[in-house]
Amino acid sequence: MESEILTLSYNPEMLAYFSADILIALVLLIAMRWVYTLWTRVDSTNELSGKDNFAFGVSVASSLLALSIVVWSAAEQASADDYLTQSLQMLVFGIGGIILIKIGRWAHDKVILNRFNKREQILQGNVSIGLVDGANTIATAIIIRSVMLWTEGFTLYSGIAILSGFFVAQTVMLVTTRLMERRFAQDNQNDSMQDVLVRGQVALAIQHGGHLLGVAFAVSAASKILVYHPWAYISNLINWLFIALLFTLLTIILAWVAKRLVLKGINLVREVDQQHNIGVASIEMALTIGVALLLLGLVS
């Protein structure tokens, strides 16, 4: 019986740039926590280990994971033979990712969830707000990743495409949130979903976070359908937005059908909205993300 032994060729140049990439990634992660500290204007160490602020920890963790997704995408897109460009691309897109995550948080606070101060709620330890904030941040990073892998090269046009993808991401999050708010108000005597989140309804936060993440994967399907044209950035933006909204609605509809079939006999409104059933909300989240991944796989 013949056996094959995997052999790795030693390349000092590759090892040097690989080490540089790891160093850049670590520096970016440290910078991300520093930027988050500036945003909250508090001692992050005291919040995490002194006050044991779980909401703060969830929010920081989502920022680090979102940045990791962006850096991962930059490294994956770069040519394996061009180590210097790959390191430069990781650095530029990493810094850009930190800026976009910060802008995304501002948009989420001022436009999407505009009935309360998200920063104050997180500092007060509101876990439900921390979960929704984290889901939004990671969902934005997932969409940006799909745009980064969709573009070609390391040019001004690819940067414009990424900014367009960021705009699409925020638009989709806004539409999704407003649809969920309308559904919640209809099922709960015109009560406000945002007000309930402020009251600390974790099950609702898990349910809504699942919608945001599911929609992010569904929107990523646009990168499998559309052809990238570097100079046609206006049509790229319009096409991405159209496909994103189309797959958002499709995901919501199919997820609704899946929930009615899989959770047959369970009153979802009563269990999640009124009885705060985290278990049922988690199943809803899994089904929403699962449907979105199925759609993404079908168009890949």
Side-chain angles (χ1 to χ4, degrees):
M1 180 177 179
E2 297 181 358
S3 61
E4 296 181 357
I5 300 177
L6 178 65
T7 58
L8 299 176
S9 59
Y10 175 72
N11 187 331
E13 183 182 8
M14 181 183 69
L15 182 60
Y17 281 116
F18 179 79
S19 301
D21 290 344
I22 296 296
L23 179 61
I24 290 172
L26 292 175
V27 170
L28 289 172
L29 291 173
I30 295 172
M32 184 73 254
R33 180 181 171 183
W34 176 72
V35 169
Y36 191 90
T37 300
L38 289 180
W39 175 64
T40 55
R41 299 189 295 275
V42 296
D43 184 352
S44 61
T45 300
N46 182 52
E47 289 291 329
L48 293 171
S49 61
K51 297 182 179 179
D52 293 341
N53 190 333
F54 300 151
F56 188 87
V58 169
S59 188
V60 173
S62 66
S63 297
L64 297 177
L65 180 56
L67 178 62
S68 299
I69 291 173
V70 173
V71 174
W72 166 37
S73 308
E76 188 175 350
Q77 186 199 49
S79 172
D81 298 325
D82 191 352
Y83 305 117
L84 180 60
T85 299
Q86 178 171 327
S87 297
L88 179 62
Q89 187 169 342
M90 284 185 61
L91 181 61
V92 172
F93 282 136
I95 295 175
I98 292 175
I99 295 174
L100 290 179
I101 290 170
K102 177 64 177 70
I103 296 175
R105 287 189 182 280
W106 179 87
H108 195 230
D109 195 7
K110 302 299 182 180
V111 180
I112 300 176
L113 295 181
N114 57 343
R115 295 175 62 94
F116 57 88
N117 189 312
K118 183 175 62 178
R119 171 184 168 275
E120 290 182 359
Q121 289 296 320
I122 291 175
L123 292 180
Q124 291 173 10
N126 193 325
V127 177
S128 64
I129 301 300
L131 289 173
V132 173
D133 173 64
N136 177 78
T137 303
I138 295 172
T140 300
I142 291 172
I143 296 176
I144 292 176
R145 165 179 164 77
S146 67
V147 179
M148 290 177 64
L149 297 181
W150 177 65
T151 59
E152 299 175 0
F154 184 40
T155 64
L156 175 62
Y157 297 107
S158 62
I160 294 175
I162 292 171
L163 291 176
S164 299
F166 176 77
F167 172 79
V168 169
Q170 298 308 310
T171 302
V172 170
M173 298 306 153
L174 176 61
V175 172
T176 302
T177 300
R178 293 296 177 262
L179 288 175
M180 295 304 104
E181 284 183 306
R182 182 177 180 181
R183 191 281 307 169
F184 186 87
Q186 290 175 344
D187 293 336
N188 295 275
Q189 300 178 342
N190 288 325
D191 199 0
S192 169
M193 186 182 78
Q194 293 192 39
D195 290 345
V196 173
L197 287 173
V198 170
R199 295 200 292 267
Q201 224 276 45
V202 175
L204 179 62
I206 293 174
Q207 181 193 63
H208 183 54
H211 281 111
L212 296 179
L213 293 172
V215 165
F217 285 115
V219 171
S220 300
S223 64
K224 309 298 181 181
I225 299 175
L226 301 176
V227 177
Y228 175 64
H229 299 289
W231 301 278
Y233 41 84
I234 299 298
S235 63
N236 286 339
L237 173 61
I238 295 174
N239 291 334
W240 261 90
L241 186 57
F242 173 76
I243 296 296
L245 293 176
L246 177 63
F247 273 86
T248 294
L249 293 176
L250 186 59
T251 299
I252 292 174
I253 293 172
L254 291 178
W256 180 87
V257 173
K259 292 171 187 177
R260 292 303 179 277
L261 295 175
V262 176
L263 297 175
K264 185 178 180 180
I266 298 177
N267 188 321
L268 300 180
V269 173
R270 184 182 64 225
E271 293 298 328
V272 176
D273 297 352
Q274 300 169 10
Q275 297 184 1
H276 308 175
N277 191 323
I278 294 177
V280 173
S282 299
I283 295 174
E284 283 198 68
M285 178 184 68
L287 290 173
T288 303
I289 296 175
V291 167
L293 290 175
L294 176 61
L295 289 176
L296 180 59
L298 289 175
V299 300
S300 298

